[in-house]
Each structure stands twice: as C-alpha cells, then as structure tokens.
C-alpha cells in the first residue's frame, strides 16, 4: 500500500479536490506505465511466512536490498518499512507481502526489464538468508494467526476497523497479493472512457489472472479467492462504481464519491492519527474530531484517495486492480493487456464497444462469476472466454498501433507480452484451474509441491 504523501498546501476551495485529479491530465507523448506487484515471502525450510525481524525476515530482505543494490531506506520511527530508487518504491503490505511500485516508464519492454531486475535482486537476497517468494493471489496454506504484522501505523488502524465494516477485510490485508498497472489520461473525457473500460472489463482480467484457488490448505470453491475477498471487505470503498457509467461522470463526481468514504487516518509528524470512520467533509470544515480546528492539505486528500479500493481507482492516474498476483512470466502481461486496450484510441473505442451495452447488474454479476468460474462465466448471454478472446485481439491491435520496439529494435512492438494470456484463452483454462489439476492429480491433495514448483 501507498507510502504517505508529503507536501501539498492547504485546501482552501472545494474545487481544489477535483483540480488535484485533473492535474494528472497529460498529452499522449507524456503517458507512462507504472507496474505494481506483490508476492509472499516465506522461510524456505519451514514454508512459514517471513516475520518482520530475525535472520530470515522481511527486515533482512529490505536491508539486504538497501546494502547490496543501492536502495534508499524508508523509515517509520526506527523501523525500515520500504525502499526507494530511481522513481521506484519497494513497500510492505500488512502481512509482509513485498511490493514493487515501479517507476513511470515509456514502454512495456522497460517495465518488464524493471520487474525482471527487481525479482533477480529479491532472489539473490532471499537465497542468502534462506527465504523464497511465491506469486499467488491468496496465501495458500497460512492462517490469519500465522501471518506476521508489519510495524506500520496505518495497518494497525485498518486492522482494528476492518472487522466493523465487513467480513473479509483482514484476509485482504494479510493474505492476498495482486499485480496492477497505473495508466495516464489526456483529459477528463479521456479519463471517463478509460475508467469505464477499466471497470467494465476488470472481470476479464480477474478471470485471465485467476490464481488463488486455495486457502488454508484446501480448495476454496473459487478460482480467484482474492476477488471473492474484496466483495465483503467494506462496501463503502469497494466495487464496480455504477455511478461512473452515468451521464455527467467526471472528476467532480469521483470527488463526491471519495468524500462519502469514511476516513482511516491523518498522517502528521511521522505518525498516523486515528480518524477511523470520520468524514473528510467535516475535515474540510475544520470539524474533524481527530484534529479539531485543523483543515486538510492536498497531501491529506492524496492519502485519503489511497484508502478507496474499487476495482479501478482514480488518482492522478488510473489503477487497474482486478488481477491476482502470479508467477514471473505473467507479470508483464497485465500492463500489456491494459496498455493495449487504452493507449491507442481505436483500441479504446473498440474496447468500450464490447462493454457499453452491459447493465450495472450484469457487470456486478460478472465480477462475481469471474472469481468463481473464470472464463466459464457469461455476460449478456456470451461466454466470457469469447469476450476475453476479443479483448485480447483489441489489445494486440492497440500494441501494434503503438509500435514501440524493444531489444534495440529487434522486437518491433510489445505484442509478445500478451502470449501467456492468449495461451490461457486458447486452452480455456485459467492458472487456478491448472493448479487444481495438479492438486487433484500428481500432488495428491498436498500443497507442499506448490512452493517447490511455483516460487521465484
């Protein structure tokens, strides 16, 4: 999750809230790609989650990356809780999941190189301390009690709050991993079209990347348990945002939604001030119970926006949030999918044509069915596998139109990053279904081989 925002002047006009989002508008030549991915660390001998402290630990990982590869530390008190280098960040999820938030880069070739370098660095440090990492959407065997707790004030507040607003919040925090991509927009109208495509087609990504069929040591009845968890986390800040498809949607309408989401905290002087359940609208009036008489800054607004968790999230860019974490070879496919769909106007229009006739009820049902059935789901009477095939064809055309070469010009475009997804559609079998076949076949109901065969 996000590192606290710094700076930003006082909010003196309501219009500044929408202006903050609109400041993300960029000409097409300035659009960038930011990839994020999370993975679970564990002790290679015991197959138990990495604690924060100790010789084989999260702290040892962060310090090793700092000392060997030139990352700068991010501290909370005297605890190292993240790293920064060249526009990229390494941060911690609540249960010790290690996250790379990549630098804004121009091509998928560059983002994939960045991911590969990061994973190589992680692997080198992990092997030296007796750890390993695995890419899955949900922790396959560990219970909540087995998960460590990272020393971050934000997470202590969230953990306390989650049980009051949903049934699966702490599962999300401590036992899930995702891969995301952050993309730019040119104008409010461009944002609106991209945001609608992102929300409507997010279940396609959920199905294609479904990779969490196990929980607490056994099949859970879903192909993406991570997606299932998000449905019962906190209805006020999750979901498919039907209002985004209504006439008049834009920056201001998203602001109004965000203002209706209860707060978690305010970050002051290196500490998190408990504002659980309080209203940012009251904060704007200087009436926040947590900080009586004090009004927010733009950095407070930026922090609040990070506590919203819809399937696609708007900040100064758009975050695609529907995919499970996965193995090395699929981490570059997620940005390829969404860049192909949204960074070429013809592809974006074609993608919207696929989904624009769906109702809010159909979109929500697809969100559910994609997590359970993967590509066997249907939308408006059409198999999701067929929709996914069409969506991938559109994405491929979009990447061809971008024509961004790699390998010094030897690779003409970015289309080959879609290969793993095209293979999934061709077979009709999601990654989760492949894992279930192994579990029910050669693994004989034992998940120990999962760590052997699918770790980085």
């Amino acid at each position: 999750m996000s590192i606290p925002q710094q700076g930003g002047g006082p909010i003196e006009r309501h219009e500044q809230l929408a202006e903050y989002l609109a400041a993300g508008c960029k000409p097409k030549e300035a659009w960038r790609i930011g990839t994020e991915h999370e993975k679970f660390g564990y002790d290679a001998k015991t197959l138990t989650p990495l604690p924060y402290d100790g010789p084989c630990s999260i702290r040892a990982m962060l310090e090793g990356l700092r000392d060997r590869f030139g990352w700068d530390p991010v501290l909370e008190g005297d605890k190292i809780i993240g790293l920064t280098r060249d526009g990229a960040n390494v941060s911690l999820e609540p249960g010790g999941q290690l996250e790379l938030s990549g630098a804004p880069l121009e091509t998928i070739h560059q983002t994939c190189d960045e991911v590969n370098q990061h994973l190589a660095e992680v692997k080198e440090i992990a092997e030296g301390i007796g750890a390993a990492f695995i890419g899955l959407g949900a922790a396959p065997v560990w219970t909540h009690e087995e998960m460590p707790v990272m020393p971050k004030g934000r997470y202590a507040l969230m953990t306390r709050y989650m049980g009051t607003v949903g049934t699966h919040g702490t599962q999300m925090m401590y036992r899930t991993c995702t891969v995301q991509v952050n993309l730019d927009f040119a104008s409010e109208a461009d944002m609106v079209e991209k945001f609608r495509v992102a929300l409507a087609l997010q279940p396609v990504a959920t199905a294609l990347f479904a990779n969490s069929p196990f929980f607490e040591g056994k099949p859970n009845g879903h192909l993406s348990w991570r997606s299932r968890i998000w449905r019962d986390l906190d209805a006020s800040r999750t979901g498919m945002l039907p209002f985004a498809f209504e006439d008049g949607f834009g920056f201001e309408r998203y602001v109004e939604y965000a203002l209706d989401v209860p707060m978690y905290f305010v970050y002051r002087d290196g500490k998190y001030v408990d504002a659980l359940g309080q209203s940012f609208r009251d904060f704007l009036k200087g009436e926040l119970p947590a900080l009586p008489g004090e009004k927010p800054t733009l950095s407070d607004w930026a922090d609040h926006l990070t506590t919203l968790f819809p399937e696609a999230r708007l900040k100064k860019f758009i975050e695609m949030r529907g995919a499970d974490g996965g193995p090395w070879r699929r981490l570059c496919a997620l940005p390829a999918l969404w860049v192909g769909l949204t960074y070429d106007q013809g592809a974006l229009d074609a993608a919207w044509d696929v989904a624009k006739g769906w109702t809010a009820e159909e979109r929500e049902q697809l969100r559910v069915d994609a997590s359970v059935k993967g590509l066997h789901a249907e939308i408006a009477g059409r198999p999701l596998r067929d929709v996914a095939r069409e969506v991938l064809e559109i994405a491929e055309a979009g990447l061809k139109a971008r024509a961004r070469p790699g390998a010094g010009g030897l690779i003409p475009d970015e289309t080959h990053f879609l290969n793993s997804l095209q293979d999934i559609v061709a077979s009709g079998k999601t990654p989760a279904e492949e894992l279930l076949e192994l579990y029910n076949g050669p693994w004989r109901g034992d998940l120990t081989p999962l760590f052997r065969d699918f770790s980085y």
Side-chain angles (χ1 to χ4, degrees):
M1 292 186 182
S2 300
I3 291 171
Q5 304 296 304
Q6 302 292 327
I11 297 173
E12 299 172 337
R13 299 174 293 108
H14 180 90
E15 292 78 12
Q16 286 176 267
L17 304 178
E19 289 167 1
Y20 174 85
L21 298 173
C25 294
K26 298 180 179 70
K28 187 172 184 178
E29 59 270 20
W31 292 354
R32 296 294 182 263
I33 305 162
T35 303
E36 302 182 17
H37 81 271
E38 303 160 358
K39 55 268 182 203
F40 294 107
Y42 64 93
D43 185 305
K45 289 183 180 178
T46 64
L47 306 186
T48 54
L50 295 181
Y52 177 75
D53 277 311
C56 181
S57 67
I58 291 296
R59 184 169 192 157
M61 282 297 308
L62 294 176
E63 290 176 346
L65 291 168
R66 176 197 64 192
D67 295 342
R68 194 168 307 177
F69 296 109
W71 290 83
D72 295 320
V74 176
L75 302 178
E76 186 168 321
D78 63 350
K79 304 286 189 181
I80 182 171
I81 50 92
L83 304 164
T84 65
R85 186 184 69 189
D86 300 332
N89 299 299
V90 174
S91 59
L92 301 179
E93 293 297 294
Q97 306 96 310
L98 201 66
E99 177 180 5
L100 173 72
S101 297
L105 300 170
E106 293 186 37
T107 72
I108 302 166
H109 306 289
Q110 294 169 340
T111 67
C112 201
D113 288 345
E114 177 189 54
V115 166
N116 289 338
Q117 179 182 352
H118 169 71
L119 291 177
E121 292 179 1
V122 166
K123 184 177 178 66
E124 182 173 331
I125 301 302
E127 288 178 346
I129 65 171
F133 284 81
I134 190 167
L136 294 164
V141 296
W142 306 314
T143 65
H144 178 74
E145 290 72 25
E146 290 176 288
M147 299 306 297
V149 179
M150 296 299 103
K152 298 180 70 171
R154 171 181 176 137
Y155 297 156
L157 292 175
M158 288 176 63
T159 299
R160 214 161 58 238
Y161 188 67
M162 285 296 183
T164 69
V165 290
T167 59
H168 286 61
T170 55
Q171 290 186 27
M172 177 279 291
M173 292 177 64
Y174 292 93
R175 292 190 283 170
T176 64
C177 284
T178 186
V179 55
Q180 300 178 188
V181 63
N182 305 326
L183 299 175
D184 290 318
F185 44 82
S187 63
E188 185 170 40
D190 186 45
M191 179 280 291
V192 169
E193 186 174 12
K194 285 175 176 170
F195 199 65
R196 288 172 173 169
V197 166
L199 285 167
L201 296 183
Q202 210 61 228
V204 177
T206 297
L208 287 171
F209 288 84
N211 193 39
S212 48
F214 308 117
F215 203 61
E216 298 189 351
K218 58 184 183 296
N220 54 48
H222 288 66
L223 298 181
S224 175
W225 185 249
R226 183 204 56 82
S227 180
R228 166 67 185 89
I229 285 171
W230 281 102
R231 295 205 307 273
D232 276 308
L233 186 149
D234 180 349
S236 69
R237 69 185 76 237
T238 60
M240 295 287 281
L241 307 189
F243 68 84
F245 298 87
E246 297 173 357
D247 290 344
F249 173 67
F251 294 127
E252 181 57 39
R253 180 64 184 87
Y254 194 86
V255 165
E256 292 303 310
Y257 154 69
L259 288 174
D260 286 334
V261 174
M263 294 176 65
Y264 280 159
F265 62 83
V266 182
Y267 189 71
R268 287 290 182 274
D269 301 322
K271 296 181 180 179
Y272 289 89
V273 177
D274 183 346
L276 291 170
Q278 297 176 25
S279 168
F280 207 94
R281 294 184 191 275
D282 290 341
F283 201 5
L284 290 170
K285 295 183 288 186
E287 299 173 0
L288 190 72
L291 293 172
E294 187 169 335
K295 291 190 176 182
T297 66
L298 283 171
S299 60
D300 294 326
W301 177 235
D303 277 338
H304 181 60
L305 292 174
T306 71
T307 69
L308 281 57
F309 307 127
E311 293 294 290
R313 180 162 68 183
L314 180 61
K315 295 196 279 190
K316 290 183 178 179
F317 45 83
I318 300 172
E319 295 181 352
M320 311 301 184
R321 298 173 48 83
D324 284 4
W328 200 315
R329 66 183 180 275
R330 280 203 302 275
L331 294 178
C332 303
L334 193 278
L337 171 66
W338 290 112
V339 168
L341 291 175
T342 62
Y343 271 17
D344 172 75
Q345 189 62 49
L348 181 61
D349 292 342
W352 179 232
D353 284 343
V354 170
K356 66 183 180 183
W358 299 345
T359 66
E361 293 75 20
E362 287 171 331
R363 290 191 298 269
E364 180 57 34
Q365 189 61 51
L366 182 62
R367 179 191 180 205
V368 174
D369 292 345
S371 75
V372 178
K373 305 175 184 177
L375 295 173
H376 304 289
E378 293 187 356
I379 175 72
R382 188 180 181 196
L384 185 57
R385 184 180 177 186
D386 290 351
V387 175
R389 183 180 292 109
E390 182 179 2
V391 165
L392 286 176
E393 289 171 354
I394 294 168
E396 183 175 21
L399 294 176
K400 284 182 178 177
R402 265 172 59 83
R404 298 299 181 92
L410 295 177
I411 302 174
D413 55 39
E414 301 155 311
T415 56
H416 66 286
F417 292 111
L418 295 173
N419 288 350
S420 62
L421 302 183
Q422 291 164 337
D423 289 345
I424 290 168
V425 169
S427 70
K429 191 183 301 181
T430 63
E433 288 166 294
E434 293 182 353
L435 291 176
L436 287 167
E437 285 186 358
L438 291 168
Y439 175 83
N440 292 313
W443 294 352
R444 299 183 179 183
D446 178 13
L447 285 177
T448 304
L450 177 67
F451 294 92
R452 179 194 66 210
D453 296 344
F454 286 88
S455 292
Y456 295 137

